[in-house]
């Protein structure tokens, strides 16, 4: 089962990473993806398919500085 | 000839500074180069902390000018309204510590210029306001400079509990300070901006002094 920010989510294995982003990131421009502990750079997202037991972390930024 | 400013030599200044700074910090900080992306609430406060600590070379990057609405939390003065933020901040830093090198670059950081802007520094400090710019810099900096430490801020708005602002190690070279949640749209107040800036500046000092940024409680 694929885990997103520590929570297991069903039926994501086999889907593209870009699908997960579209579903779970509110503002994709404000998000950087980590897959199994490594940052996935923006030009690498297309072409990645989620495997069972993948750990995805969505690093979401908020405004203010 | 010894360089003197107002009759005070660089040796006098650093001897006094060493008296009050932590032992063994002087050399590591003096030879360090930190580039701070953004000279607003976070960036101005981080830069002042690093300048006072004796970090020898700071590069400031920001595209904006000082506005009246900045003065609630950013370290500028009424008399500096209208000046480029990097120029005003450089002026202020050199009043606190005239013996460091400060480069001021008025430009907007983009995916295209990251490689050039951050090539020379030891540590990259993110201090933007805009969340998309934060994400863009994390993406671009870790791609161009995977081995260079990146210290970021995320979530410092409002008047929520100060202790909710923490520093975590996101990945081996990425550190993020903040509460991760509160957004500038609710209002930004000086104390929490300064707390987050303090977290980031302290993380940078720890990196430069080769201490673990996030320590166990019993190691404090």
């Amino acid at each position: 089962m694929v885990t997103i920010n520590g929570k297991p989510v069903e039926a994501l294995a086999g889907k593209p990473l870009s699908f997960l982003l579209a579903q779970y990131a509110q503002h994709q421009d404000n998000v950087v993806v980590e897959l199994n502990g490594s940052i996935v750079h923006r030009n690498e997202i297309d072409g990645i398919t989620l495997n069972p037991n993948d750990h995805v972390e969505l690093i979401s930024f908020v405004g203010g500085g | 000839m010894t360089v003197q400013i107002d009759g005070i030599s660089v040796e006098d200044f650093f001897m006094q500074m060493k008296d009050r700074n932590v032992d063994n910090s002087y050399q590591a900080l003096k030879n360090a180069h930190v580039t701070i992306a953004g000279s607003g609430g976070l960036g101005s406060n981080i830069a002042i902390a690093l300048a006072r600590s004796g970090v020898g070379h700071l590069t400031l990057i920001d595209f904006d000018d000082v506005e009246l609405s900045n003065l609630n939390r950013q370290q500028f003065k009424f008399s500096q309204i209208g000046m480029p933020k990097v120029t005003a901040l450089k002026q202020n830093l050199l009043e606190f510590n005239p013996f460091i090198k400060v480069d001021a670059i008025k430009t907007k950081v983009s995916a295209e210029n990251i490689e050039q802007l951050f090539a020379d520094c030891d540590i990259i400090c993110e201090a933007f306001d805009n969340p998309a710019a934060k994400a863009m810099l994390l993406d671009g900096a870790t791609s161009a400079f995977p081995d260079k430490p990146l210290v970021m801020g995320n979530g410092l708005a409002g008047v929520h509990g100060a202790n909710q602002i923490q520093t975590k190690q996101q990945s081996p070279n990425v550190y993020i300070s903040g509460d991760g949640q509160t957004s500038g749209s609710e209002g930004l107040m000086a104390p929490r901006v300064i707390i987050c800036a303090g977290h980031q500046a302290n993380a940078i000092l720890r990196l430069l002094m080769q201490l673990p940024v996030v320590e166990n409680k019993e190691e404090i």
Side-chain angles (χ1 to χ4, degrees):
Chain A
M1 198 172 300
V2 175
T3 307
I4 307 177
N5 290 2
K7 288 186 190 139
V9 178
E10 305 237 18
L12 274 175
K15 296 237 163 67
L17 180 58
S18 57
F19 171 84
L20 179 151
L21 261 177
Q23 293 287 107
Y24 291 91
Q26 276 193 329
H27 301 283
Q28 289 194 37
D29 283 354
N30 301 351
V31 172
V32 173
V33 188
E34 246 182 29
L35 179 60
N36 302 324
S38 302
I39 287 173
V40 181
H41 296 290
R42 285 176 176 181
N43 54 5
E44 303 162 347
I45 289 174
D46 288 340
I48 292 184
T49 303
L50 294 163
N51 292 310
N53 304 321
D54 270 352
H55 287 262
V56 178
E57 186 149 356
L58 302 176
I59 309 169
S60 299
F61 289 98
V62 290
Chain B
M1 198 190 84
T2 312
V3 179
Q4 294 216 339
I5 295 176
D6 289 340
I8 297 168
S9 74
V10 63
E11 287 84 4
D12 296 337
F13 186 85
F14 278 105
M15 282 313 292
Q16 292 294 316
M17 189 178 242
K18 277 166 81 172
D19 263 8
R20 296 302 274 168
N21 269 356
V22 168
D23 279 352
N24 304 321
S25 61
Y26 167 70
Q27 205 65 35
L29 302 187
K30 185 177 86 111
N31 295 325
H33 180 196
V34 178
T35 295
I36 305 171
S39 296
L42 289 175
S44 62
N45 282 295
I46 293 164
I48 288 174
L50 297 181
R52 289 196 193 275
S53 301
V55 173
H57 186 182
L58 297 174
T59 297
L60 316 171
I61 307 174
D62 197 294
F63 63 87
D64 224 350
D65 297 329
V66 180
E67 291 176 27
L68 197 53
S69 66
N70 303 145
L71 299 190
N72 75 326
R73 68 195 188 284
Q74 305 185 16
Q75 297 295 351
F76 300 111
K77 303 173 209 171
F78 203 83
S79 61
Q80 295 176 316
I81 289 169
M83 287 173 72
K85 284 185 179 177
V86 290
T87 309
L89 183 55
K90 177 176 177 176
Q91 196 175 69
N92 296 345
L93 294 176
L94 293 177
E95 284 188 49
F96 297 133
N97 185 346
F99 299 105
I100 59 171
K101 181 173 187 228
V102 182
D103 296 323
I105 304 175
K106 186 176 181 179
T107 194
K108 189 164 187 162
V109 177
S110 67
E112 289 69 40
N113 62 16
I114 284 175
E115 212 167 331
Q116 173 223 331
L117 287 171
F118 301 98
D120 297 335
C121 62
D122 303 310
I123 295 178
I124 303 171
C125 178
E126 178 278 321
F128 292 139
D129 180 62
N130 180 308
K134 290 173 185 283
M136 178 271 298
L137 185 58
L138 173 57
D139 183 60
T142 52
S143 175
F145 307 107
D147 299 324
K148 208 172 273 208
L150 169 64
V151 177
M152 311 187 70
N154 189 31
L156 44 107
V159 287
H160 305 276
N163 291 348
Q164 290 173 21
I165 292 178
Q166 301 197 327
T167 299
K168 74 168 188 173
Q169 186 166 13
Q170 181 67 43
S171 57
N173 285 316
V174 178
Y175 303 88
I176 306 182
S177 304
D179 61 34
Q181 290 179 37
T182 59
S183 153
S185 53
E186 70 168 286
L188 293 159
M189 305 286 275
R192 286 186 107 236
V193 174
I194 292 171
I195 290 163
C196 190
H199 267 261
Q200 290 182 256
N202 195 54
I204 291 166
L205 296 188
R206 290 182 68 85
L207 285 164
L208 293 173
M209 293 170 69
Q210 306 197 341
L211 298 166
V213 170
V214 182
E215 76 291 294
N216 297 322
K217 255 200 170 136
E218 54 270 27
E219 287 169 14
I220 292 175

